[in-house]
Amino acid sequence: MTDELAELRHRVEVLEAEAEIRRIQARYMFLCDTPCPEYGVTGDDHRIELILELYTEDAAWEGVGEYYDGQFGRAVGKDRIRAHFERFWGEKRDPALVLNAHYLTSEQIHVDGGRAEGQWIHVQPWLYADGTGLLRSSRLNNAFRRQDGRWLITRTRTENVFIAPLPGGFASDFPASSVLMAPGPVPGP
């Protein structure tokens, strides 16, 4: 009976770890969307700080492979990861980026005690103010560590799968900001 309880406990711990890692990865992607759908985010600096709360102090963020090596490089530690995001959101583009939404798929999470790795493929449309757009896809190979009772990201590694131009006017109706997460009464049936 003790062995069976220990096995069940281990299985529950793995399931809980996978669920928390899934939530962390989804939150990261959610915070990277444009416009940022999180209610109360006051600007890109605030958004960056919320993203950094998901990382360990010694974390690494890197783009790898022939397309992302030179475009993103490697940033180690929260200060350098912050600088990476400040460059991304600090650069004003013409035309402006008006929509960027991340869709995660092909998930694999492997938990080994207090460490884990996760792989995903993500697809994201990038739409610009002039009606042009791109569809981008990347593979993610990320690492996580349980620290002070919670899972955090220790490594974000991304590699390009493809970048494809979208036809002009691909999306005609999209909001300038998100109201979905705003607090308020829940509508009735």
Side-chain angles (χ1 to χ4, degrees), residues 39-178:
Y39 182 78
V41 174
T42 56
D44 291 333
D45 289 340
H46 185 196
R47 171 204 309 239
I48 292 167
E49 292 310 311
L50 292 171
I51 290 170
L52 290 173
E53 288 176 7
L54 305 174
Y55 283 87
T56 61
E57 290 296 326
D58 61 343
W61 195 107
E62 65 182 321
V64 299
E66 64 183 286
Y67 291 99
Y68 283 179
D69 256 350
Q71 183 179 1
F72 295 126
R74 179 177 159 96
V76 178
K78 281 189 172 183
D79 288 341
R80 291 207 169 149
I81 294 171
R82 178 183 289 108
H84 161 75
F85 284 113
E86 286 171 343
R87 276 190 306 278
F88 179 80
W89 280 303
E91 293 175 7
K92 297 304 172 205
R93 293 175 175 87
D94 187 18
L97 180 65
V98 293
L99 180 93
N100 176 17
H102 296 76
Y103 302 91
L104 288 173
T105 184
S106 302
E107 175 183 272
Q108 298 181 58
I109 299 173
H110 310 281
V111 178
D112 185 11
R115 296 189 177 273
E117 290 209 357
Q119 292 84 36
W120 293 266
I121 294 176
H122 90 280
V123 178
Q124 60 184 125
W126 290 49
L127 303 177
Y128 297 94
D130 67 354
T132 62
L134 298 170
L135 186 62
R136 298 178 72 126
S137 179
S138 303
R139 292 188 193 284
L140 303 173
N141 186 315
N142 297 347
F144 304 84
R145 181 171 67 226
R146 190 157 176 82
Q147 182 175 297
D148 299 326
R150 66 185 277 234
W151 286 93
L152 297 169
I153 303 168
T154 60
R155 181 192 70 229
T156 294
R157 184 178 288 151
T158 182
E159 175 182 44
N160 180 60
V161 174
F162 70 83
I163 300 171
L166 292 171
F170 172 78
S172 61
D173 300 313
F174 49 87
S177 65
S178 177

